[in-house]
Amino acid sequence: MVRYLDINQAGNSIKCKLFCEAIREIEHLIIFAHGFGGHKDNKAAERFAETALSKMKKTAVLVFDWPCHGTDVKKKLTLEDCDSYLGMVIDYAGEQLKAKKISAYGTSFGGYLLLKYVHEHGANPFGKIALRCPAVDMGEVMYKRVMTDENKSMLERGREVMVGFDRKVLINQEFMDKLMAADIRKWEYFDYADDILILHGSKDEIVPIEECRNFAESNVIEFVEIEDADHRFQDLNKMKLAHSYMVDFINKK
């Protein structure tokens, strides 16, 4: 069953998509955090949900639009709004969906935001965190791989710019400054390492695999390299392999 729902809290309306067999029987909920410029209706989330629900009973997958993404109504992206959205989704999972266990799957920008949330809140609210190509160097990724030279020039002149992939997102220099300052490579994750898995494609053209490997090694986090996979894992066989790793990890006691 697929159900669309809104989380309305503190003047916000978070657009969500829930995959589950029976909403009243959810015991384990996996929050799927999509990447920059993505949305809740992405195929990777759908395929992951199919795999997870087929292997884990009484499990659901909840995908939501980050601020300024998908059908979200906010106009300008801020890290503060991203943090608030994630917190409200976590609360909703426990308080409204009555999930006894909450895990997370994050990709690219979504993976970065999950790790940022854990560090800044000083606790891991998730049973397990599975990350695919997390942008541990998100500031540099934005500057070097997402933004155009024209974008950079406009920001330097104090202008706001539209950047992104599936949907363009409005950002300003303040957002970039805060993104650069919130560099998760500088933070320690030893206390959470046993509950984190990172998978990364060897041919990732957006997030350098070396950055993720170094981050994982520095924090003693399990790291799995998927040979010849690109950033979006467009090869469906490689995506299936990644999801198999993730489901096994998330389902591990």
Side-chain angles (χ1 to χ4, degrees), residues 61-112:
V61 176
L62 181 68
V63 195
F64 68 99
D65 288 330
W66 289 114
C68 306
H69 289 69
T71 56
D72 185 75
V73 299
K74 288 191 181 294
K75 302 300 182 183
K76 185 164 58 179
L77 185 64
T78 70
L79 289 178
E80 291 83 359
D81 281 341
C82 291
D83 186 82
S84 294
Y85 270 35
L86 182 54
M88 285 184 276
V89 170
I90 293 169
D91 290 344
Y92 185 87
E95 295 171 6
Q96 301 300 320
L97 296 178
K98 308 298 182 183
K100 298 176 182 177
K101 179 181 178 182
I102 302 171
S103 295
Y105 169 1
T107 179
S108 196
F109 181 54
Y112 163 81

Side-chain angles (χ1 to χ4, degrees), residues 200-205 226-231 233 235 238:
H200 209 108
S202 66
K203 293 187 176 179
D204 190 323
E205 73 284 9
I226 306 297
E227 190 67 27
D228 294 330
D230 62 1
H231 184 66
F233 276 59
D235 184 321
K238 291 179 174 51

Side-chain angles (χ1 to χ4, degrees), residues 59-249:
T59 294
V61 176
L62 181 68
V63 195
F64 68 99
D65 288 330
W66 289 114
C68 306
H69 289 69
T71 56
D72 185 75
V73 299
K74 288 191 181 294
K75 302 300 182 183
K76 185 164 58 179
L77 185 64
T78 70
L79 289 178
E80 291 83 359
D81 281 341
C82 291
D83 186 82
S84 294
Y85 270 35
L86 182 54
M88 285 184 276
V89 170
I90 293 169
D91 290 344
Y92 185 87
E95 295 171 6
Q96 301 300 320
L97 296 178
K98 308 298 182 183
K100 298 176 182 177
K101 179 181 178 182
I102 302 171
S103 295
Y105 169 1
T107 179
S108 196
F109 181 54
Y112 163 81
L113 291 173
L114 288 173
L115 290 170
K116 178 176 175 292
Y117 187 95
V118 167
H119 171 79
E120 293 184 343
H121 289 263
N124 178 16
F126 309 108
K128 299 289 182 183
I129 302 174
L131 305 172
R132 176 167 58 83
C133 305
V136 296
D137 55 338
M138 189 64 205
E140 293 179 14
V141 167
M142 280 288 292
Y143 195 78
K144 296 178 181 179
R145 310 295 172 91
V146 179
M147 294 169 57
T148 65
D149 289 340
E150 182 180 2
N151 292 153
K152 299 171 190 175
S153 177
M154 291 177 67
L155 281 182
E156 289 172 358
R157 298 198 304 270
R159 302 282 298 277
E160 297 177 339
V161 298
M162 298 292 290
V163 299
F165 302 105
D166 296 340
R167 170 181 166 177
K168 299 292 183 180
V169 178
L170 184 66
I171 65 169
N172 58 16
Q173 187 61 51
E174 181 182 7
F175 173 81
M176 285 301 301
D177 290 343
K178 289 183 177 180
L179 199 62
M180 289 293 191
D183 186 344
I184 65 173
R185 295 171 298 178
K186 299 177 181 178
W187 302 334
E188 294 183 351
Y189 288 83
F190 298 114
D191 291 344
Y192 319 112
D194 289 345
D195 295 320
I196 301 175
L197 169 69
I198 295 178
L199 289 89
H200 209 108
S202 66
K203 293 187 176 179
D204 190 323
E205 73 284 9
I206 302 295
V207 179
I209 189 172
E210 293 80 10
E211 291 292 342
C212 266
R213 183 186 289 111
N214 290 339
F215 171 79
E217 290 177 353
S218 296
N219 289 281
V220 199
I221 293 171
E222 183 178 358
F223 182 87
V224 177
E225 178 178 337
I226 306 297
E227 190 67 27
D228 294 330
D230 62 1
H231 184 66
R232 293 196 177 192
F233 276 59
Q234 295 180 83
D235 184 321
L236 293 185
N237 288 326
K238 291 179 174 51
M239 182 68 84
K240 288 179 182 178
L241 177 61
H243 287 168
S244 179
Y245 271 115
M246 289 179 160
V247 169
D248 288 346
F249 177 76

